[in-house]
Amino acid sequence: MSLILAMIWLVIMIVLVIVEVVTLGLVCIWFAGGALIAAVVAVFGGPWWLQLIAFVVVSAVLLVFTKPIAKKYFTDKIQKTNSEDLIGKKVMVTEEVDNIRATG
């Protein structure tokens, strides 16, 4: 039974890694790490509740401690434009905005 649970955790991990690769949003990678540790717990015969606790704790620890570091290195390359300075400010539109003709 523990081998089956380990396989389930590994499948969950693979799905989460695929979702992360497709989205590149730094959303699922933390939970993939938790699923990997839960699979290790399952291989060593840990009960399902211990696997679930390991998944939640490891995912939370990875999220809290590594997300700020990863976000710093991955979002630095985003170049801000002048239009971002207008967020929250009032502006006056001087010509008609037409998204189809790309005017305005």
Side-chain angles (χ1 to χ4, degrees), residues 56-73:
V56 171
V57 169
V58 170
S59 296
V61 167
L62 288 174
L63 186 66
V64 169
F65 289 109
T66 62
K67 186 172 183 177
I69 296 167
K71 199 168 191 175
K72 176 183 174 185
Y73 289 107

Side-chain angles (χ1 to χ4, degrees), residues 34-63:
L36 177 64
I37 298 303
V40 170
V41 171
V43 166
F44 286 108
W48 68 269
W49 56 267
L50 184 60
Q51 297 168 33
L52 189 60
I53 289 172
F55 171 75
V56 171
V57 169
V58 170
S59 296
V61 167
L62 288 174
L63 186 66

Side-chain angles (χ1 to χ4, degrees), residues 82-100:
N82 292 340
S83 64
E84 291 174 346
D85 289 335
L86 300 175
I87 296 174
K89 295 183 180 177
K90 293 183 181 181
V91 297
M92 183 181 352
V93 178
T94 58
E95 62 182 84
E96 183 179 349
V97 177
D98 187 344
N99 289 335
I100 295 173

